[in-house]
Amino acid sequence: MANYLKHIFLPFLVISILNCEGLFAQKTTFIQGQVADSLDQPIGDVFILLLPDSTSSLTNAKGEFKMKYSGADSVQLVISHLQYQTKIIALANEKFLKVKMTENTQLLSGVDISDRRFDETQEIGNIEISAKNAYTLPSATGDFSKVLATLPGVTSNNELASVYSVRGGNYDENLIYVNGIKIYRPFLVSAGRQEGLGFINTDMVGNVQFSAGGWQSKYGDKLSSVLSVQYEEPKTNEATINLSLLGGSLHYGGINKKGDLNYSFGVRHKNSKYLLGTLETNGNYLPKFTDFQGFINKQFGSKTKLGLLVSSAHNNYLTLPESQETEFGTIQASFRMSTAFEGREQLDYHTNQVGIVLSHAFTEDIISRLTVSGVHSSERENYEVEGAYLLCDVNREPGSNRFNECISIRGIGSNYSYGRNKLEAKILTVDQKNEIYLDNDVLAFGMSWDYENLDDQLQEFAFTDSADFANVTYSANNSIDLQSHKIAGFAQYTLNSANAVHTLNFGARINYWTYSGQLLISPRLQYAYKLGAHQRSTLRLSTGLYQQHPFYRELRNREGDINPNVKAQSSLHIVGGMDHHFLAWGRPFKFTTDLYYKYLWDVNPYDVDNIKIRYFATNQATAYAYGADFRVNGEFIEGTESWFSLGLLKTMEDLQEGGGYIRRPSDQLVNLGIFFQDHLPNDPSMKVSVNMLFGSGLPFGPPRNDTYRNSFSGDEYYRLDLGFSKSFEFENDKTLSPNSLWIGLEVLNALGAENTISYTWIQDVVGNQFAVPNALSARFLNVRVIAKF
């Protein structure tokens, strides 16, 4: 029974223990391995036939397989897939095989494999993401978060940043874990172009699960989503070089001869100078973003494992803006704003993080894990920029001799911004979790302690001198020195029926913050019911309370003042959904739909400028969000995964000031994401990838004017990124020669869309206000080369 529990239910607990299967030795003779392509990316649904036993299996999404065999003198594995050449391997005394498949170069006839197995290893309501797709997804930053942007319910209207919002939430409401360690992003960054590399290193990613709402009690206290990433533990020595016009990465992983120590190291460098050169603001951009990550696992016997995760990120951003020309309006009323700049922006963000994970199995049914992690972030913002502008009407009459020229001046003025900000943040976390397996059921419980020490010095102001009228748009000069403790605990129980038809998870979290003195209790419930003889459809229901203690930024209002009385925001999630597995063209597909409703109280309202959030630092509002998410994914083209996602959302808030409900800053009615892959019929090594995003207009309004806050709807966000690639395989035994080479050409923003990220408000000579759009990046060609060793 213990082996049954181990193989069926351990995958549901992603952050419970790192690769628990390896903790317990098996008495039965078996062979296990992984099947990968020319880029060393795992291949799912590979057919494995073991002879002479005539037993068969299919690889899972990570390309892994495990099979028992009788131990006969002559044993062979036949490995086949429609897209790759069949391999026959004679077994000796191997315990683990790393098989690399060679792509076919001619069209093969179809093979009908019956009794397809549908993998249901992820938790209720979670979406599992293949790390392989992050490599082929064309995007401006190459950041792993851009894969999330193609999922339903996830909004990311800024290709230059790694931030995203989920089902009406904001950027500060998302939990991110790597190997069970909570991850933080830079605190002061205010614009997407200033942001460096996202934490997650694509070269090191193994398993990824994402929940957009209604997650289990074992995860922390945020309002919107959970992203749980497990870095892969190498089973062979491997290396990757990834280079492009926007930077590159180096990755090396390996395992010792005894097999009890594996390691993975990665270095990334991003230089978006050429991409930023497509922005409307001309100038000298000198961004340099570099980070290092290392992950080491050591096995002590068959029951204990120690993991170490180390990260050091250094992001430096220097800009010397010179000029900008923006055209906006309609054909009937067309305007142009020309701006000349003087000054500079110099921003430095340095973040170091280390985490230790100790896992121990007291028995096969009792497993514990202790995680200790620390973060030190040192951030500096020094900027002083003045822009003198001229606003005029533009002649759009084609037959005029002054076509496309300024015909009348609307206004002349200047914008000035100044800042000298610095932040020192030190965060220490101790987290202990336990799991007990009771026949078909699982009991999990644990406690955590967070110590936060933040010293933030804020000195900034901005004003607009428009039509002889100076208007101070923002001014703040204060500091906050916050030292506090957060103590949390959880307990949850998972019941599974003997036939795996019913799954029920219920539990609760309790947490306390010493700064506010507020104690929170958050009960949560999940239920799943599988339909049909083959259990290919699952009905889901999740509900619970999700409460978020404020971080220091939520204590600072729009004028920069600190309000120490801000309480936690609270949200009730109700999510109903269905997962349906089906076969089309002989290949597996999955259709997922969710209907959700969220009611929020003690809401801390906020405004968004680019990616900077300015809170009201009050709990004056109530809010709600409801919508529907749809996603279908599978092999639309044989051997390549693609998906189509559609999200519909409505979110409103009431500030309790007599104005009733108004749109929240994240209210985006329609959100469409498409990731599609294809290859030449006669040459699967020639591929094309499509990344398409569409989002309806977000609300906005004039600054410091709550009467018209979020009264207007901005332009739609639409973006099409194309990737074309060719891969090569090499048969060689030389250490310094690559086993495969991947060459790609990316057309970023192929449609040349002029997407708007924010607005600059100016006033003309008669007092009319104009919202001048600030556009994101234009069309850009990028070249990428990936070598695998």
Side-chain angles (χ1 to χ4, degrees):
M1 179 61 68
N3 284 336
Y4 174 79
L5 288 170
K6 179 176 61 180
H7 290 291
I8 299 298
F9 297 110
L10 274 180
F12 279 88
L13 300 164
V14 195
I15 65 174
S16 63
I17 194 166
L18 305 172
N19 295 330
C20 272
E21 302 91 353
L23 288 177
F24 311 110
Q26 304 291 328
K27 296 180 181 180
T28 307
T29 304
F30 66 91
I31 178 67
Q32 59 181 346
Q34 184 183 46
V35 181
D37 62 10
S38 60
L39 286 178
D40 207 24
Q41 299 301 304
I43 309 172
D45 288 329
V46 177
F47 185 73
I48 312 292
L49 177 65
L50 192 147
L51 300 173
D53 294 25
S54 296
T55 58
S56 63
S57 179
L58 292 173
T59 60
N60 60 19
K62 295 190 288 185
E64 298 173 343
F65 66 91
K66 185 175 182 179
M67 303 175 66
K68 297 179 183 179
Y69 67 97
S70 60
D73 294 336
S74 178
V75 179
Q76 290 182 325
L77 280 182
V78 180
I79 305 172
S80 61
H81 190 282
L82 290 181
Q83 188 183 347
Y84 301 89
Q85 297 179 12
T86 300
K87 282 196 172 185
I88 301 177
I89 300 176
L91 297 181
N93 296 317
E94 294 91 350
K95 296 296 182 183
F96 182 85
L97 283 177
K98 184 65 179 285
V99 182
K100 183 166 290 188
M101 302 291 283
T102 302
E103 293 175 325
N104 280 322
T105 57
Q106 56 182 341
L107 188 65
L108 300 179
S109 58
V111 177
D112 183 18
I113 301 176
S114 60
D115 194 21
R116 286 271 192 173
R117 184 180 64 178
F118 298 98
D119 193 10
E120 285 286 348
T121 58
Q122 67 261 34
E123 297 170 12
I124 297 174
N126 282 11
I127 295 177
E128 189 168 357
I129 305 170
S130 172
K132 177 181 178 180
N133 294 321
Y135 262 100
T136 56
L137 180 86
S139 68
T141 62
D143 193 271
F144 186 85
S145 65
K146 296 310 171 186
V147 178
L148 300 180
T150 63
L151 301 181
V154 182
T155 301
S156 178
N157 289 356
N158 190 337
E159 68 271 6
L160 302 177
S162 63
V163 297
Y164 54 91
S165 63
V166 180
R167 291 180 178 174
N170 69 32
Y171 309 139
D172 295 337
E173 298 176 0
N174 304 307
L175 280 167
I176 300 177
Y177 294 98
V178 172
N179 291 85
I181 299 171
K182 189 185 296 184
I183 302 302
Y184 298 85
R185 53 182 292 268
F187 303 106
L188 294 183
V189 61
S190 58
R193 64 179 184 274
Q194 301 166 356
E195 190 174 3
L197 296 155
F199 184 91
I200 300 172
N201 188 327
T202 307
D203 293 328
M204 302 170 66
V205 170
N207 181 49
V208 180
Q209 293 200 36
F210 178 76
S211 173
W215 57 87
Q216 295 182 359
S217 300
K218 66 180 180 179
Y219 294 115
D221 303 289
K222 292 282 189 178
L223 293 179
S224 294
S225 74
V226 171
L227 175 65
S228 180
V229 178
Q230 291 287 329
Y231 278 173
E232 188 173 17
E233 299 181 20
K235 296 179 175 60
T236 60
N237 293 330
E238 57 190 23
T240 305
I241 299 176
N242 188 339
L243 301 175
S244 80
L245 296 179
L246 302 176
S249 65
L250 300 174
H251 168 253
Y252 179 76
I255 189 170
N256 66 350
K257 293 183 178 180
K258 298 174 68 174
D260 59 357
L261 176 69
N262 60 72
Y263 45 86
S264 183
F265 302 100
V267 178
R268 296 180 296 167
H269 178 74
K270 171 184 170 183
N271 188 339
S272 54
K273 176 180 179 180
Y274 300 111
L275 180 63
L276 297 181
T278 68
L279 299 178
E280 289 181 330
T281 302
N282 300 316
N284 193 6
Y285 292 93
L286 299 172
K288 294 181 180 179
F289 310 119
T290 304
D291 86 333
F292 164 81
Q293 290 187 33
F295 184 55
I296 304 173
N297 275 303
K298 171 64 178 176
Q299 188 85 34
F300 297 94
S302 61
K303 296 185 176 182
T304 304
K305 180 181 289 187
L306 181 66
L308 173 66
L309 176 65
V310 179
S311 172
S312 182
H314 303 275
N315 302 325
N316 303 287
Y317 177 84
L318 174 62
T319 301
L320 303 173
E322 295 175 356
S323 64
Q324 177 178 335
E325 185 171 275
T326 304
E327 296 190 359
F328 61 101
T330 64
I331 296 178
Q332 291 77 17
S334 182
F335 308 101
R336 176 183 299 150
M337 188 176 80
S338 302
T339 308
F341 294 100
E342 183 176 350
R344 62 189 287 164
E345 291 182 76
Q346 185 168 355
L347 315 173
D348 301 294
Y349 311 113
H350 304 284
T351 304
N352 300 299
Q353 184 163 357
V354 60
I356 299 174
V357 183
L358 177 64
S359 304
H360 181 73
F362 294 96
T363 68
E364 290 188 349
D365 299 325
I366 302 177
I367 300 170
S368 292
R369 190 187 68 181
L370 175 67
T371 302
V372 181
S373 64
V375 179
H376 176 234
S377 183
S378 178
E379 305 180 21
R380 300 290 186 273
E381 287 186 332
N382 297 299
Y383 60 88
E384 184 174 6
V385 178
E386 182 174 11
Y389 68 84
L390 181 148
L391 177 65
C392 68
D393 292 283
V394 180
N395 187 343
R396 292 302 185 190
E397 295 183 9
S400 173
N401 56 5
R402 298 192 61 188
F403 175 73
N404 204 33
E405 294 182 6
C406 283
I407 54 177
S408 64
I409 296 177
R410 286 270 184 167
I412 298 176
S414 64
N415 293 314
Y416 179 85
S417 59
Y418 172 93
R420 294 293 184 270
N421 306 323
K422 61 180 180 179
L423 169 72
E424 293 288 335
K426 300 175 183 177
I427 302 173
L428 176 65
T429 300
V430 179
D431 183 57
Q432 202 276 328
K433 287 185 172 68
N434 309 277
E435 292 160 3
I436 301 177
Y437 296 88
L438 307 168
D439 293 330
N440 292 335
D441 304 335
V442 183
L443 171 65
F445 59 93
M447 292 190 66
S448 65
W449 166 70
D450 288 8
Y451 169 70
E452 298 175 352
N453 186 338
L454 298 110
D455 182 10
D456 184 27
Q457 308 293 326
L458 183 68
Q459 183 182 4
E460 60 183 21
F461 65 90
F463 69 83
T464 299
D465 187 356
S466 176
D468 295 327
F469 179 77
N471 180 26
V472 177
T473 57
Y474 182 72
S475 177
N477 188 356
N478 55 45
S479 63
I480 179 174
D481 187 1
L482 189 154
Q483 299 182 38
S484 65
H485 304 266
K486 290 180 180 177
I487 302 171
F490 83 95
Q492 66 179 46
Y493 197 88
T494 304
L495 295 94
N496 299 278
S497 61
N499 57 4
V501 172
H502 302 276
T503 300
L504 176 67
N505 176 278
F506 59 91
R509 287 189 66 83
I510 182 170
N511 59 84
Y512 176 77
W513 189 28
T514 58
Y515 185 80
S516 65
Q518 190 177 12
L519 178 68
L520 304 175
I521 300 176
S522 307
R524 300 172 187 176
L525 174 72
Q526 289 184 321
Y527 173 70
Y529 173 66
K530 296 181 179 179
L531 302 171
H534 300 286
Q535 298 183 356
R536 295 183 176 181
S537 296
T538 303
L539 297 179
R540 297 178 280 102
L541 176 66
S542 300
T543 186
L545 292 182
Y546 298 83
Q547 305 183 84
Q548 178 175 323
H549 282 298
F551 204 57
Y552 89 99
R553 287 191 302 179
E554 289 148 273
L555 305 176
R556 192 188 296 278
N557 65 20
R558 293 178 291 177
E559 286 71 38
D561 300 324
I562 302 299
N563 179 11
N565 300 317
V566 178
K567 298 185 298 183
Q569 302 182 82
S570 300
S571 176
L572 171 66
H573 289 199
I574 302 175
V575 184
M578 182 189 72
D579 302 326
H580 176 63
H581 297 272
F582 63 96
L583 292 175
W585 308 297
R587 300 187 291 273
F589 287 82
K590 182 179 181 181
F591 173 73
T592 301
T593 180
D594 279 343
L595 300 176
Y596 61 88
Y597 175 81
K598 297 195 293 186
Y599 178 75
L600 300 92
W601 64 97
D602 289 335
V603 173
N604 190 347
Y606 62 91
D607 294 324
V608 179
D609 181 15
N610 203 302
I611 64 171
K612 188 169 188 175
I613 297 176
R614 297 190 189 276
Y615 289 93
F616 284 40
T618 64
N619 295 103
Q620 68 185 81
T622 58
Y624 64 83
Y626 63 87
D629 292 338
F630 307 92
R631 181 175 185 254
V632 58
N633 67 293
E635 296 184 17
F636 291 89
I637 304 299
E638 181 74 32
T640 61
E641 184 184 13
S642 303
W643 60 77
F644 297 80
S645 302
L646 174 64
L648 304 175
L649 166 71
K650 188 64 179 177
T651 179
M652 307 282 283
E653 65 184 6
D654 184 357
L655 301 184
Q656 308 296 326
E657 295 178 347
Y661 279 94
I662 63 173
R663 298 177 67 186
R664 303 193 79 195
S666 55
D667 182 38
Q668 190 168 47
L669 177 61
V670 179
N671 183 36
L672 174 67
I674 297 175
F675 174 54
F676 188 81
Q677 300 182 88
D678 196 359
H679 57 75
L680 293 181
N682 295 323
D683 187 0
S685 66
M686 292 283 292
K687 297 181 179 180
V688 60
S689 301
V690 177
N691 176 22
M692 179 179 175
L693 298 175
F694 171 81
S696 56
L698 290 167
F700 72 100
R704 305 181 66 186
N705 189 334
D706 289 348
T707 302
Y708 296 101
R709 179 173 174 264
N710 296 337
S711 297
F712 308 104
S713 184
D715 296 332
E716 297 84 1
Y717 178 89
Y718 61 97
R719 184 176 177 89
L720 175 65
D721 296 328
L722 302 175
F724 306 90
S725 64
K726 169 69 176 178
S727 59
F728 304 89
E729 289 190 27
F730 307 101
E731 296 289 342
N732 63 73
D733 298 326
K734 297 180 180 180
T735 304
L736 299 179
S737 298
N739 298 320
S740 64
L741 185 66
W742 183 94
I743 301 175
L745 172 67
E746 296 176 338
V747 185
L748 305 177
N749 194 6
L751 301 179
E754 295 183 355
N755 292 308
T756 300
I757 187 57
S758 63
Y759 295 88
T760 300
W761 288 82
I762 63 174
Q763 187 172 309
D764 67 7
V765 292
V766 295
N768 296 318
Q769 283 192 318
F770 291 83
V772 182
N774 299 310
L776 288 163
S777 60
R779 186 183 294 110
F780 182 79
L781 295 179
N782 186 33
V783 178
R784 293 176 60 198
V785 178
I786 302 175
K788 291 280 188 176
F789 296 85

